[in-house]
Amino acid sequence: MQFLQWYFLILTFKDAIKEGDSERTNMTLKFCIPVFFSHSILSKYLEECIDYILKTEIILSEKMAMKVRYESYVNMTGHRGDNKATDLQKENEVLVLKELIRGLGSNKTEKAIVTITKAAPVIQDVVNNFDRMTNIHDKHTHHRKRSLEGDVRCGLKELVRLKIWTPTQGRKLEIFHQFKKSPFDVDRVTYKEIVMRKVARLKRGIAIPVDSEDESDSENDS
C-alpha cells in the first residue's frame, strides 16, 4: 500500500509539472508534507514544501504568488504539456556552462569566463542546430539489465519452493514490522506541532517583496 501511494504521488507530481498546473502542484506538495515528515522531521524537503506553500498561498500578494507559481515551470519547445521544472532546466544550463568553462583550458581568466557565460545560450543553440541538421543523436548510456522473463522465472522458482500461499506457523518477515502501512500514518499532534513551528520560523525569515505596481502607487500617493 505504501509503495502504491508513493508511486501515484510521484506520477501526479510529474504530470502536474508537465501540464504547468500550479493548483495541482500545490496540492501535491501538501500531500508530500506528511510523507517527508514520516521520513524525518529534519527533512529539508519537508521544509521546502512548507516554504513554497506558505509563500504562494499566504504571505505573498496574489500577483506575486501567481508569478512565483508559474515561474516554477519552463517550456523550451512551446508545445502543450511539455513543461519542465525551472530548477531542473537551470541545472542543465549549469552543466553546459561547466563544459564550456572546462574547454577554456589554461585561459580561465575572469574576463574569459564572463564572456563564455554570456555566449553559452547562443553556442548551445548553434550546436543543437548543427547536430539536428547532420542527424547526430545524443549519446545516452544504458544500464545493462536482465530480461523481464528471466526475472519472473527466477522469482517463481523461489516462490514455488517457499510455498508462500501455504500458511506456515511462525513464518514472518521481521523487517516488515518497521514499515507503516501508509506514509500518511503519522502522530497528528506531533505533526501539527512540528509543522506550525516550522511555519513560524519561516515567517520570521521571509522578506516580503513589494510588487513594482504597488511601489509606484505608493510613490504617487506620497
Side-chain angles (χ1 to χ4, degrees):
M1 178 63 74
Q2 182 169 153
F3 174 77
L4 288 175
Q5 288 176 325
W6 275 92
Y7 175 70
F8 286 117
L9 184 63
I10 293 172
L11 280 186
T12 303
F13 203 11
K14 291 176 68 174
D15 185 65
I17 291 173
K18 286 185 71 68
E19 295 296 331
D21 190 339
S22 65
E23 294 294 334
R24 198 145 52 102
T25 298
N26 275 37
M27 190 182 303
T28 309
L29 287 175
K30 291 175 184 177
F31 276 105
C32 287
I33 291 176
V35 170
F36 292 128
F37 176 85
S38 64
H39 174 67
S40 171
I41 62 173
L42 301 177
S43 171
K44 66 176 183 179
Y45 301 110
L46 166 64
E47 193 158 318
E48 288 293 333
C49 290
I50 297 173
D51 184 46
Y52 187 87
I53 294 169
L54 184 65
K55 287 178 179 176
T56 57
E57 294 191 6
I58 299 175
I59 291 182
L60 298 178
S61 65
E62 185 177 355
K63 178 184 176 182
M64 185 62 70
M66 192 65 66
K67 185 177 180 181
V68 171
R69 283 189 180 193
Y70 286 102
E71 284 185 354
S72 300
Y73 320 104
V74 60
N75 191 323
M76 305 302 295
T77 64
H79 298 157
R80 181 181 296 179
D82 199 22
N83 295 283
K84 64 191 298 187
T86 303
D87 57 348
L88 180 60
Q89 176 62 24
K90 289 291 183 183
E91 289 180 8
N92 294 338
E93 292 175 355
V94 168
L95 289 176
V96 173
L97 287 176
K98 286 183 177 179
E99 188 67 27
L100 291 173
I101 293 173
R102 192 180 298 114
L104 292 174
S106 59
N107 299 320
K108 292 179 184 174
T109 62
E110 182 178 352
K111 183 177 180 180
I113 292 175
V114 171
T115 302
I116 200 71
T117 301
K118 291 180 179 179
V122 178
I123 295 173
Q124 187 64 27
D125 287 341
V126 171
V127 172
N128 291 339
N129 287 333
F130 179 82
D131 290 346
R132 185 167 55 253
M133 293 171 66
T134 54
N135 292 324
I136 298 176
H137 301 287
D138 292 337
K139 293 183 179 179
H140 298 286
T141 58
H142 297 279
H143 296 287
R144 294 186 61 185
K145 58 181 181 181
R146 297 178 180 176
S147 66
L148 177 61
E149 184 180 349
D151 288 341
V152 172
R153 193 182 303 114
C154 181
L156 285 175
K157 182 179 178 181
E158 293 297 320
L159 292 176
V160 170
R161 182 179 64 83
L162 294 172
K163 299 180 180 179
I164 62 171
W165 305 117
T166 304
T168 303
Q169 187 175 3
R171 182 171 64 182
K172 60 182 178 179
L173 195 58
E174 294 292 344
I175 196 171
F176 275 16
H177 295 287
Q178 301 176 16
F179 297 119
K180 296 180 179 179
K181 292 183 178 180
S182 170
F184 303 103
D185 182 17
V186 296
D187 183 351
R188 294 181 180 273
V189 176
T190 306
Y191 172 74
K192 183 177 180 180
E193 180 184 349
I194 295 296
V195 170
M196 294 309 297
R197 191 187 306 163
K198 290 183 180 293
V199 167
R201 184 168 57 80
L202 287 169
K203 278 185 175 180
R204 290 196 299 269
I206 294 177
I208 304 176
V210 181
D211 294 343
S212 56
E213 291 184 0
D214 295 341
E215 288 181 343
S216 60
D217 291 341
S218 61
E219 289 177 359
N220 293 333
D221 293 340
S222 60

